[in-house]
Amino acid sequence: MSLLTIINDDIKTAMKAKDKNTLAVLRMLKAAFQNEKIKTGNELSEDEELTLLSREMKQRRESLIEFKKANREDLVEQTNQAIKLVGKYLPQQLSEEELQVIISNAVSEVNATSMKDFGKVMGIVMPVIKGKAEGNVINRLVKDQLN
């Protein structure tokens, strides 16, 4: 079952429960899926769905940081709820230890020895980890291993 189908079902449930906040976030996700579908001109693959959800999650996390800086507690709470809801559709996030193992394997696979090999390592790591960890965490861990 595609994520869009699951989101549509959850929209119906939120409508019946009259949960306006959840409904707003779900409708936003649905719109993002539909816009991406129109842009690509075909049904989204599972990888494309994960990429889209990761992008939406990243936007919310960036917004959360800005709202905290501006002392907008009302928006911080609302954004936290949206992050939890979007996170429900993402695969379980990998721990740093699990990420370290994947990154170590990639480093040894390409015989990476310095930061010059950063792109090669990231090229191997990102398809494996797609949607299962934040890009900035992966970036930091790869740099730590290459230094």
Side-chain angles (χ1 to χ4, degrees):
M1 187 181 318
S2 76
L3 280 172
L4 186 57
T5 305
I6 295 169
I7 289 171
N8 280 330
D9 291 343
D10 289 348
I11 286 174
K12 291 173 191 171
T13 304
M15 288 172 79
K16 289 177 184 175
K18 295 182 177 17
D19 186 351
K20 291 180 182 179
N21 293 334
T22 301
L23 190 58
V25 173
L26 291 173
R27 283 181 172 159
M28 176 275 316
L29 284 176
K30 181 179 179 180
F33 274 92
Q34 290 174 328
N35 288 338
E36 192 70 19
K37 181 180 172 183
I38 291 168
K39 192 165 97 176
T40 60
N42 55 12
E43 292 295 321
L44 299 179
S45 69
E46 197 171 311
D47 277 349
E48 291 170 325
E49 289 178 339
L50 280 178
T51 301
L52 180 69
L53 277 177
S54 296
R55 188 177 336 138
E56 293 295 325
M57 180 65 92
K58 182 179 178 184
Q59 287 175 351
R60 265 134 209 85
R61 286 193 172 125
E62 289 171 353
S63 296
L64 183 64
I65 291 167
E66 294 302 317
F67 294 150
K68 284 181 179 178
K69 283 181 186 176
N71 291 324
R72 291 292 310 269
E73 290 304 316
D74 56 328
L75 295 175
V76 168
E77 180 60 34
Q78 185 178 355
T79 306
N80 274 328
Q81 289 175 353
I83 287 171
K84 286 179 190 172
L85 189 59
V86 174
K88 174 181 158 187
Y89 300 103
L90 285 170
Q92 184 171 348
Q93 301 294 292
L94 297 173
S95 68
E96 282 203 17
E97 293 79 27
E98 293 168 315
L99 292 172
Q100 291 282 10
V101 170
I102 294 169
I103 293 168
S104 295
N105 291 340
V107 167
S108 60
E109 186 178 323
V110 297
N111 296 320
T113 55
S114 69
M115 283 302 291
K116 290 180 181 177
D117 300 316
F118 180 81
K120 292 178 187 174
V121 174
M122 289 297 281
I124 291 173
V125 169
M126 290 309 287
V128 174
I129 297 177
K130 182 172 248 157
K132 297 178 184 172
E134 288 185 49
N136 58 355
V137 173
I138 298 166
N139 193 338
R140 176 178 51 83
L141 293 174
V142 169
K143 284 180 180 177
D144 288 349
Q145 285 203 13
L146 292 177
N147 285 334

